[in-house]
Amino acid sequence: MSVRLGLLAASRIADRAVVAPARDVDGVRLMAVAARDRARAEAAAEKWRLDRAFGSYEQLIESPDVDAVYIGTPASFHRPWAIAAIEAGKHVLCEKPFAANADDARLIADAARSSDVVVMEAFHWRYHPYAGQIRSVLDSGALGRIDRIEAVFDIPDGWIPRDDIRWDLSIGGGATMDLGCYPIQWVRFAASEDPSDMPDVVSAEAVCPVEGVDGSLRAELRWPSGVTGSIHSSMIADGDDVAAWLRVTGERGTMLATNPLAPQQGNATLTVETESGSTSEEIERSATYFHQLIAFRDAIVDGAPFPTTADDGVRNMEIIDACYRAAGLEPRPAV
């Protein structure tokens, strides 16, 4: 079986997330792209050498030539189009964050549970072998009892100009939505293999250059086990470098995973320091998106299990909403 995939939105991320890896994944055929403007869809179809261009999202969802859709719209539009696709019997690969807020995410998850289609949140990092290497360190017991888990994803101020949609509150703008959703997943992954083991947000503080939109946000977390942690994300960081890392501190040592987001960039390292010394592992440079698309295909064709389910998307959104409330902000509005 070949999965016939359509792109819902001619988004910037689609090229890297789906178009490029689809060329190398057997059993996935990229068929079409839809945009709210037909000329934009036709231009994207020509650029990506696709057979079909649709001038509306509805046309793509209704097409009998498409088995699955990749939703690359801004987060506030995920819920209506994900549910429409699910109800039309299409499998869904939905960009992160899963929805505008946890309430919207629950609606998607409800629709997914009542269907027989695959609904996957596109947290691509989770499908790379690097995630397995991190898990192996944590499961080895080398760090002893885990005491604290911290994660950061910061990008320099100016990389995202103020007229970018990520500064628009009405369509899901904010550093925690665009960047912070990753550190939240990283710390959850490190804390437990059980995705339902959720931390409480103890406190949070945001800096908002645009009213209601967090340019940066830091939150303190605590798990029921007593493990503490923190997450930080920023679209306005000082300096010229991106910071993306996960650090786990235990009673016998520390693990530092740099750039779990995109090890294909070549600057990922996994270092463990204990009383016995320091060790580092090599990280494979294959693309995270390649592994994600394989997992999506296998879930559809073979019924293979996968971690970034709709229910897990709800859990991540619940923490995002809690971070905003703890910082004195409101969760992002639904459309």
Side-chain angles (χ1 to χ4, degrees):
M1 174 184 174
S2 181
V3 177
R4 300 172 300 172
L5 182 60
L7 305 175
L8 197 151
S11 56
R12 288 173 295 184
I13 188 62
D15 196 356
R16 183 167 69 252
V18 178
V19 177
R23 300 187 186 107
D24 299 318
V25 175
D26 293 335
V28 175
R29 183 181 175 192
L30 199 52
M31 299 291 296
V33 59
R36 288 174 293 178
D37 175 79
R38 184 169 182 83
R40 178 174 169 80
E42 289 175 345
E46 181 178 1
K47 174 184 176 183
W48 293 328
R49 300 179 183 178
L50 307 183
D51 294 338
R52 301 287 301 278
F54 294 106
S56 73
Y57 299 155
E58 292 92 344
Q59 289 177 326
L60 176 67
I61 289 171
E62 293 168 2
S63 172
D65 299 323
V66 171
D67 305 309
V69 297
Y70 164 77
I71 298 177
T73 66
S76 287
F77 298 105
H78 287 178
R79 184 257 305 156
W81 296 116
I83 292 176
I86 293 166
E87 291 177 345
K90 310 297 186 186
H91 304 284
V92 173
L93 178 60
C94 183
E95 253 314 325
K96 59 79 199 167
F98 198 47
N101 52 56
D103 288 340
D104 264 17
R106 291 186 193 100
L107 292 174
I108 301 173
D110 289 345
R113 279 192 296 272
S114 64
S115 76
D116 59 359
V117 301
V118 170
V119 180
M120 176 186 286
E121 185 176 15
F123 270 116
H124 52 101
W125 76 274
R126 185 65 178 80
Y127 296 94
H128 194 275
Y130 191 10
Q133 291 174 264
I134 294 170
R135 180 83 268 150
S136 293
V137 170
L138 297 172
D139 290 347
S140 72
L143 304 182
R145 183 195 66 247
I146 302 302
D147 295 322
R148 187 163 176 81
I149 307 170
E150 303 160 287
V152 166
F153 187 7
D154 293 347
I155 62 175
D157 191 10
W159 280 31
I160 301 178
R162 294 295 193 269
D163 59 355
D164 188 277
I165 60 172
R166 286 167 285 187
W167 289 102
D168 188 338
L169 175 64
S170 69
I171 54 175
T176 310
M177 291 286 284
D178 187 57
L179 307 176
C181 58
Y182 285 106
I184 289 170
Q185 248 215 356
W186 296 339
V187 298
R188 289 181 55 223
F189 173 74
S192 175
E193 288 189 279
D194 181 356
S196 65
D197 186 8
M198 294 276 284
D200 293 323
V201 177
V202 177
S203 63
E205 183 177 2
V207 176
C208 299
V210 174
E211 185 176 358
V213 179
D214 51 313
S216 68
L217 186 146
R218 181 184 303 277
E220 281 291 317
L221 310 173
R222 180 179 292 275
W223 279 263
S225 64
V227 173
T228 65
S230 68
I231 61 102
H232 184 267
S233 58
S234 179
M235 303 189 292
I236 54 171
D238 295 333
D240 300 319
D241 298 322
V242 174
W245 51 262
L246 165 69
R247 180 166 57 218
V248 181
T249 303
E251 61 180 334
R252 293 201 295 268
T254 299
M255 181 198 76
L256 177 63
T258 61
N259 197 14
L261 173 73
Q264 58 264 34
Q265 295 174 348
N267 56 349
T269 58
L270 181 60
T271 304
V272 178
E273 295 185 355
T274 66
E275 293 178 352
S276 302
S278 177
T279 62
S280 295
E281 295 185 22
E282 287 190 14
I283 309 301
E284 185 177 314
R285 292 188 61 175
S286 54
T288 51
Y289 299 107
F290 169 77
H291 294 284
Q292 175 180 260
L293 195 56
I294 289 174
F296 188 53
R297 177 204 64 193
D298 290 351
I300 294 170
V301 175
D302 301 324
F306 57 95
T308 61
T309 63
D311 287 332
D312 194 70
V314 172
R315 297 183 186 107
N316 231 53
M317 290 308 308
E318 287 174 342
I319 298 177
I320 289 173
D321 286 3
C323 286
Y324 280 131
R325 292 190 177 103
L329 300 173
E330 290 297 319
R332 309 299 85 170
V335 295

